[in-house]
């Protein structure tokens, strides 16, 4: 399964971006889809995940600002990011698994190449 992210870019503090992750396979058949991010000099971290029932989970740092969703008709995962902060600057990656969610990006069988988000003050 190929995952291709898009939607990254440069934005000022307080701005918004919407990331997309298009899957080459029907997303309704993927148990878990998740967004990770990695800032320069830091470890990759979980941002948000959604399972095939629509249950979601967010990192504390993005709760209330980011919203994960998916459109099974378009085989696309989204991450709506509002009230962006400089500390949100990172490379954002999507990942997916057919039967489980994982806390570690590299364990997911399907992984994207990432899209860069830069938030400036």
């Amino acid at each position: 399964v190929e995952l291709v992210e898009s939607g990254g870019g440069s934005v000022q503090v307080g701005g918004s971006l919407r990331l997309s992750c298009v899957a080459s396979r029907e997303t309704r058949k993927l148990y878990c889809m998740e967004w990770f991010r990695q800032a320069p000099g830091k470890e990759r971290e979980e941002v948000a995940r959604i399972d095939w029932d629509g249950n979601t989970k967010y990192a504390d740092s993005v709760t209330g600002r980011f919203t994960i969703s998916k459109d099974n008709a378009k085989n696309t995962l989204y991450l709506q990011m509002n009230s962006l902060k400089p500390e949100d600057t990172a490379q954002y990656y999507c990942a997916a698994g057919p039967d489980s969610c994982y806390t570690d990006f590299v364990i997911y069988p399907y992984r994207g190449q990432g899209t860069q988000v830069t938030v400036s003050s």
Side-chain angles (χ1 to χ4, degrees):
V1 177
E2 183 179 4
L3 301 175
V4 180
E5 303 97 333
S6 63
S10 297
V11 64
Q12 292 191 327
V13 170
S16 298
L17 284 173
R18 188 177 78 159
L19 305 183
S20 300
C21 172
V22 179
S24 61
R25 176 180 177 179
E26 294 178 85
T27 52
R28 65 181 180 87
K29 295 183 178 179
L30 295 170
Y31 175 76
C32 193
M33 298 191 76
E34 185 159 1
W35 288 100
F36 290 80
R37 68 184 180 186
Q38 187 169 21
K42 295 187 177 181
E43 293 187 357
R44 189 180 283 121
E45 62 178 358
E46 293 182 278
V47 176
R49 66 167 65 153
I50 185 168
D51 68 22
W52 60 15
D53 288 327
N55 299 306
T56 60
K57 182 179 180 181
Y58 296 91
D60 290 344
S61 59
V62 306
T63 297
R65 299 188 299 122
F66 291 10
T67 302
I68 189 170
S69 63
K70 63 176 180 171
D71 185 337
N72 288 332
K74 296 182 179 179
N75 295 329
T76 301
L77 176 73
Y78 300 102
L79 185 68
Q80 178 67 44
M81 305 186 296
N82 299 327
S83 303
L84 283 162
K85 304 176 181 180
E87 51 264 43
D88 295 318
T89 295
Q91 185 83 349
Y92 283 72
Y93 302 87
C94 71
D99 50 24
S100 187
C101 295
Y102 304 98
T103 58
D104 192 338
F105 176 77
V106 299
I107 297 178
Y108 273 100
Y110 315 129
R111 304 184 296 273
Q113 295 299 309
T115 185
Q116 177 67 34
V117 171
T118 302
V119 184
S120 58
S121 56

